Amino acid sequence: MTTIAHISDLHFGCEAPMVREGLLEALHQVNPDLVVISGDVTQQAKRREFQAAHAFLAALPYPHLIVPGNHDLAENNLPERLLFPWKKWRHYISRELEPVKQDEDYVAIGINTARRVSLHPDWSRGSISRLQVARIQRQLRTTPETSLRLLTAHHPFWLPPLFAHRELVKRSQPALQAFQSQVDIILSGHVHLAYAQVTQGVIVSHAGTTLSNRLLLHHTNSFNVIRGDRERLSLELMEWGNQRFRLSSQQVFRRRDDGWHQQH
């Protein structure tokens, strides 16, 4: 059985130190095979924020896969954003923007959906390109049939109706159609809301903001734990309360011939 810890939207620069320490303690209890971090590592892409993120990653005693989010691009420094958008990321976080982690039980593929420029006036919104979809399909064609297949992006591929105004990643529907029967679960963040939903046979699972004080009303810091294989997956929501992370709820999914279904 594979165990994945999914954390997101750390927003170093407005993180809660006590929650940071609580997360490390909770991860010690979970003992994951892989920690997935789905973007927005920093708040304003400042050097000191990247340094804090670097120190956090160095304290993780587990393999990790990390992709950038829109906050990891400089918002107030246009020359930096346009000319060398990922210089700090590559220096402090990872040389890769779209990493791949693989062992005998799973393959985890990173997707960079953050864009330095956009025709849309809101540059925080994300996109997945046809070239990215093709790259993922090539990777999966060489993946053993029994290996759990996970994709990680920052921006959402599905949203609850109340959050539809946040908008999905651009080209999400063609991408989901291409991923049908090939991908088991997509992990992402961005909206600071934890939820999971099956769409087109694929599980879309979002993590809330794990460390930051940028919380939605009536929500707290959280992260997800995914356990299982290609036949059955459980998603555990771990929420912060009383100075520690505790199990808040669990969803169970099973895979059939037509894709994944939630078990009620």
Side-chain angles (χ1 to χ4, degrees):
M1 182 177 69
T2 299
T3 300
I4 307 289
H6 175 206
I7 67 180
S8 193
D9 295 81
L10 309 181
H11 289 286
F12 279 98
C14 58
E15 79 280 9
M18 183 180 295
V19 180
R20 177 191 183 278
E21 296 309 308
L23 174 63
L24 293 174
E25 292 177 10
L27 291 176
H28 176 72
Q29 298 297 319
V30 172
N31 191 29
D33 299 295
L34 179 70
V35 176
V36 168
I37 309 168
S38 55
D40 277 2
V41 178
T42 66
Q43 173 60 18
Q44 294 183 316
K46 294 181 177 179
R47 190 174 303 277
R48 65 176 180 270
E49 296 170 354
F50 276 111
Q51 290 170 338
H54 175 82
F56 170 77
L57 294 175
L60 282 180
Y62 318 99
H64 66 268
L65 178 146
I66 185 168
V67 296
N70 52 282
H71 276 266
D72 300 315
L73 287 161
E75 183 178 2
N76 301 317
N77 186 334
L78 196 58
E80 175 184 327
R81 185 179 184 114
L82 296 180
L83 298 177
F84 40 94
W86 303 115
K87 182 177 180 180
K88 292 174 186 171
W89 179 273
R90 294 185 190 278
H91 180 74
Y92 290 106
I93 306 300
S94 172
R95 298 297 302 172
E96 299 176 283
L97 298 174
E98 298 188 316
V100 176
K101 298 286 187 180
Q102 187 168 8
D103 77 359
E104 60 184 14
D105 295 320
Y106 70 84
V107 60
I109 301 174
I111 315 168
N112 178 20
T113 55
R115 298 293 184 260
R116 57 181 170 177
V117 294
S118 171
L119 295 177
H120 196 283
D122 181 0
W123 287 8
S124 73
R125 294 178 177 174
S127 176
I128 182 170
S129 71
R130 297 178 183 88
L131 288 176
Q132 287 174 302
V133 171
R135 175 184 68 86
I136 293 164
Q137 288 179 307
R138 286 195 302 271
Q139 177 75 36
L140 293 176
R141 278 197 289 268
T142 64
T143 299
E145 179 63 29
T146 57
S147 294
L148 183 66
R149 292 109 181 274
L150 307 99
L151 303 185
T152 302
H154 178 63
H155 294 88
F157 283 75
W158 183 86
L159 282 167
L162 286 176
F163 289 82
H165 63 281
R166 298 296 302 272
E167 296 199 10
L168 303 178
V169 62
K170 187 177 180 182
R171 301 188 190 92
S172 62
Q173 292 309 304
L176 282 170
Q177 291 172 6
F179 296 152
Q180 277 183 318
S181 77
Q182 297 186 60
V183 172
D184 296 310
I185 185 168
I186 301 176
L187 308 179
S188 51
H190 186 58
V191 294
H192 295 197
L193 182 72
Y195 57 85
Q197 173 75 21
V198 175
T199 179
Q200 299 191 44
V202 178
I203 305 168
V204 176
S205 176
H206 285 244
T209 177
T210 303
L211 296 184
S212 84
N213 58 21
R214 302 181 71 246
L215 297 167
L216 297 178
L217 186 65
H218 305 307
H219 290 269
T220 186
N221 297 103
S222 66
F223 73 98
N224 299 330
V225 179
I226 300 102
R227 305 180 196 267
D229 52 31
R230 287 213 81 193
E231 301 304 317
R232 180 187 184 276
L233 286 173
S234 71
L235 273 64
E236 301 170 2
L237 173 61
M238 307 293 292
E239 291 191 316
W240 180 256
N242 295 326
Q243 301 185 351
R244 65 188 180 97
F245 282 100
R246 299 180 296 177
L247 176 64
S248 173
S249 63
Q250 182 184 50
Q251 294 170 272
V252 175
F253 300 85
R254 291 189 180 274
R255 189 166 69 96
R256 303 174 188 164
D257 291 342
D258 60 345
W260 286 89
H261 295 262
Q262 184 170 353
Q263 182 177 309
H264 298 285

